[in-house]
Amino acid sequence: MMSRLFYACLFFIIFQSTEAQQKYVDSLFAVGKTQTEVYAEKNNEKLIIDLYFPENNDEKRPLIVFMHGGGFAGGSPKNPQEVKFARMAAARGYAVGLISYRLSRKGQSFGCDYDAEGKMETFQKAATDLMDGFKYLKDHSADLKIDPEITVVGGSSAGAEAVLNAVYNPQLMFKNSENYSEINISAVMSLAGALLDVRYITEDLAIPGIFFHGTKDNLVPYATAPHHYCKTSDPGYLILDGSKTIVERLEQLDTSYLFYSFQDARHEISGMPFEYLPEVFEFLQKVVFDKTKIQSSIYK
């Protein structure tokens, strides 16, 4: 009798524990084999998306697409940090795509000696690649079991610059932003990123955002400053609005955000913030799925 009672209690505890876990917040699924899709071919280069899916989950999965960093000159969707993140998110029920894009500055500078017009064109190409990747995934969403209405996009450093400009400054990125009007972005995540001009963020474009940035970032401005802190006399002088300025604009527009500032940290904050990912997944759950408004600034 006591043995039966013990096992009954044990079953109840395990059942209660499982019930307490939340999809999209807690790790609930095994992760399947990586699936690679070619979403476009440009300049004789195949652009790919490495996809990670939760196993034993046949319903449509919300989508996270992430762009790697590397100064538009290097980096890869196979970077171990991004792969680890993709597997963590897939284990929580997301479909995750790690996307490649044109590395327009490969073997070349993206600093103060590279003219501002060229930098703009570099942003535009990467932003276009991102949205073309989204179009491919939307067009194949039924086969891939992706929910195209719930999508999160993230990026690190150069990837974050492409992401932020595509999402918040489409008027400056695309000749006709209507080409991508059917793509629904639910939230954005930026690791040490910046965009061209927050004044172009309207109410319609004020998408909830997650931001990580060092206050002394030496490459991408934390607030508003020249890219790479170039002098006005440098060819590459280009003013960018960093995370702090973007968050201030989102607050004006009454939009949700989660903003981590790291006192005196430099560009190393562009690395994947594994320590804080539980809070990131919790924010996405509350804001994207539960439609709760959160405006949170955290200083470290």
Side-chain angles (χ1 to χ4, degrees):
M1 183 68 179
M2 289 298 293
S3 178
R4 289 182 182 179
L5 181 61
F6 171 79
Y7 284 111
C9 290
L10 181 61
F11 174 81
F12 178 77
I13 291 170
I14 294 172
F15 178 78
Q16 287 291 93
S17 176
T18 303
E19 285 291 290
Q21 292 182 313
Q22 294 184 73
K23 191 190 295 185
Y24 313 129
V25 175
D26 299 304
S27 182
L28 301 175
F29 303 96
V31 180
K33 185 178 178 181
T34 308
Q35 180 176 333
T36 300
E37 299 285 330
V38 177
Y39 73 87
E41 187 166 346
K42 302 180 183 183
N43 303 326
N44 297 317
E45 179 186 1
K46 290 182 178 179
L47 301 178
I48 67 163
I49 305 174
D50 281 343
L51 291 164
Y52 298 78
F53 296 108
E55 289 187 332
N56 303 319
N57 180 7
D58 292 329
E59 61 189 39
K60 284 189 174 183
R61 284 75 57 102
L63 174 66
I64 297 176
V65 172
F66 195 90
M67 292 186 88
H68 65 82
F72 301 101
S76 165
K78 302 185 188 302
N79 181 326
Q81 279 201 5
E82 275 83 357
V83 171
K84 181 178 177 181
F85 166 74
R87 295 186 66 83
M88 289 177 66
R92 285 159 173 77
Y94 289 95
V96 185
L98 302 182
I99 188 170
S100 74
Y101 54 100
R102 285 172 288 180
L103 301 178
S104 305
R105 302 306 298 162
K106 190 172 184 177
Q108 304 173 80
S109 170
F110 195 60
C112 297
D113 57 338
Y114 183 53
D115 64 271
E117 185 177 347
K119 288 182 178 180
M120 279 278 293
E121 185 179 347
T122 299
F123 291 149
Q124 289 165 346
K125 286 181 179 179
T128 299
D129 291 347
L130 171 68
M131 299 309 275
D132 287 346
F134 264 117
K135 283 191 73 171
Y136 177 91
L137 292 173
K138 184 178 176 67
D139 291 344
H140 295 81
S141 59
D143 293 336
L144 296 171
K145 295 182 181 177
I146 289 171
D147 186 347
E149 299 306 312
I150 306 177
T151 59
V152 178
V153 60
S156 167
S157 190
E161 290 173 334
V163 162
L164 292 173
N165 279 300
V167 172
Y168 292 132
N169 280 178
Q171 312 94 319
L172 302 177
M173 290 294 101
F174 313 118
K175 291 180 180 178
N176 184 2
S177 59
E178 288 300 310
N179 290 340
Y180 303 113
S181 60
E182 77 280 7
I183 296 171
N184 180 68
I185 305 294
S186 306
V188 63
M189 176 179 171
S190 169
L191 310 180
L195 50 69
L196 287 166
D197 197 333
V198 296
R199 293 174 296 180
Y200 284 84
I201 305 178
T202 62
E203 286 187 13
D204 290 342
L205 295 174
I207 293 162
I210 301 164
F211 304 88
F212 289 82
H213 219 132
T215 62
K216 295 291 180 67
D217 193 312
N218 52 312
L219 298 178
V220 180
Y222 169 72
T224 298
H227 182 243
H228 284 218
Y229 296 91
C230 301
K231 300 175 183 177
T232 54
S233 57
D234 291 330
Y237 178 80
L238 179 68
I239 295 292
L240 294 181
D241 290 326
S243 300
K244 184 175 186 294
T245 306
I246 298 169
V247 166
E248 288 170 351
R249 179 63 174 161
L250 295 182
E251 188 164 23
Q252 289 174 357
L253 295 170
D254 202 27
T255 301
S256 291
Y257 59 80
L258 176 63
F259 180 28
Y260 280 87
S261 295
F262 295 85
Q263 187 66 36
D264 296 329
R266 291 160 70 86
H267 198 59
E268 66 272 10
I269 301 304
S270 62
M272 192 62 67
F274 291 109
E275 181 181 352
Y276 305 100
L277 287 183
E279 288 81 5
V280 168
F281 290 123
E282 186 75 30
F283 176 87
L284 292 175
Q285 169 65 37
K286 290 180 178 178
V287 171
V288 174
F289 297 96
D290 296 343
K291 307 301 180 185
T292 304
K293 190 178 81 173
I294 297 173
Q295 293 182 328
S296 177
S297 292
I298 300 161
Y299 294 88
K300 294 290 183 176

